[in-house]
Every structure is written in C-alpha cells, then in structure tokens.
Amino acid sequence: DVKVQANASGAVVTGILTTTSPGDGVGKILQVQNTILTSVFTVSGQSSGAETDLTGLSVSITPTRASSKILVEFHIQSGSTGTTFGAIVKRGNTKIFQGDTDGSRQRVTAQLSLNSDQNQMTNTSFKGLDTPSYSLGDTLTYKIVLTSDGGTCQINRSHNDQNSATGKRTCSSIIVYEVAA
C-alpha cells in the first residue's frame, strides 16, 4: 500500500509505504514515513547555542514490532550569511546522534554546509540507526532542531533569494524507516 497526503496549503507532504508480511526477517524495512518541507523557514538573531525547532520538518512512526530499530534520514537545503548552523535530531525531547562533548563546542548531528556565495544553497544529509526503547503501540516522533552561533540561516532558499532565474526554491525532508531487528 502506498498512501500520500498533503495539507491544505500543500506545504508538507507525508507518505507511508508498508511491506509487512509473515516472511519479514531481520533487516527488512517494515514501513517508511516521511515529511517533505516545501516552504521557506528562517532562523535569525538566535543567541549562541539556542535551539529552534525546524517547523514542518518532523515525522512520526508507530513501530509494528516490539524490537524494531528506526533508520532516520534527513536532507536539508540551506543558505546562510556565512554563520555556522547545526542540525540536531530529536526523538520526542531526547537528542540523538550527537558528537562527543569537548570543551564548549556545540554537540550536533550535522553541521549545515556553508557557502560563501549568498546566492547559493547547500545540501546537508545524514542517516543513522536509532535503537529506541518503546512499547508496542507507541508512536515515536522525530524532528530537526537548528542551533547556531548567531547570524541567519534560510531553509529551502538562498540567503539573497533573488527573484530571477538565478534564485531557487527547494525542499527538505526527513524520512524514518522501521527496520526489523
């Protein structure tokens, strides 16, 4: 079964692909959930280390087996003023897939790639396997949080966002896969 839904504005598209059958074994993909963000999102004036939910880029999944793992993948298109921004994956309110603690460095899942040309965007991607603790029937929600050391970050557009053929609008996504364990 493949089902696709869009909200009234068409800004977010979600989908599900299920492949459950009695013969599914370890490592098989049991279901896929995704969200695609087509609208623009801006973070500006954020104090160093502050976190901002990337509104519209979250996805929920209800595992069909008690022992499943969740493969989390995201792709973020961004433009910036040259300031560094990081993306953090959260399951509910728990940060997952972070670098080690070292001094006052920010712990993030991925650093959004910088481009010195403010008319351009870059793509940042990540994929990791989560082993959450849950009860059968629980719904797990994964989201992206942005953190910076100041400046402005644009999602799905360049910083300058020229209204011409050189200006582009893109989409970003988060995908979760239930993996049989």
Side-chain angles (χ1 to χ4, degrees):
D1 291 337
V2 176
K3 300 174 187 172
V4 178
Q5 303 166 326
N7 68 5
S9 69
V12 178
V13 178
T14 62
I16 179 172
L17 168 66
T18 57
T19 60
T20 56
S21 67
D24 288 334
V26 173
K28 298 279 185 173
I29 302 298
L30 302 177
Q31 68 170 306
V32 178
Q33 298 282 349
N34 77 312
T35 299
I36 298 172
L37 177 66
T38 59
S39 60
V40 169
F41 184 84
T42 301
V43 177
S44 186
Q46 191 178 39
S47 61
S48 183
E51 297 176 3
T52 302
D53 287 358
L54 204 168
T55 304
L57 205 55
S58 67
V59 64
S60 295
I61 189 166
T62 304
T64 60
R65 295 187 182 175
S67 61
S68 292
K69 296 181 181 188
I70 307 297
L71 181 62
V72 180
E73 177 178 356
F74 69 74
H75 305 276
I76 300 173
Q77 299 282 340
S78 63
S80 77
T81 57
T83 305
T84 60
F85 274 79
I88 300 169
V89 176
K90 280 189 172 182
R91 178 189 353 95
N93 291 319
T94 303
K95 296 176 186 179
I96 57 175
F97 308 125
Q98 290 186 286
D100 290 341
T101 300
D102 189 6
S104 59
R105 293 167 181 84
Q106 290 183 19
R107 297 178 63 214
V108 299
T109 305
Q111 179 174 316
L112 299 185
S113 301
L114 297 176
N115 193 324
S116 59
D117 183 347
Q118 293 185 6
N119 293 312
Q120 301 294 317
M121 285 178 278
T122 55
N123 180 53
T124 303
S125 297
F126 172 82
K127 192 182 292 187
L129 190 61
D130 185 26
T131 308
S133 175
Y134 62 90
S135 297
L136 199 56
D138 287 352
T139 297
L140 307 172
T141 300
Y142 293 85
K143 66 181 177 180
I144 305 297
V145 175
L146 299 177
T147 183
S148 78
D149 60 0
T152 300
C153 179
Q154 308 286 355
I155 303 299
N156 294 335
R157 59 164 267 200
S158 68
H159 179 70
N160 288 346
D161 196 33
Q162 295 179 350
N163 189 13
S164 66
T166 60
K168 307 288 188 279
R169 293 291 173 94
T170 61
C171 59
S172 297
S173 65
I174 184 169
I175 308 164
V176 290
Y177 308 77
E178 180 184 3
V179 180

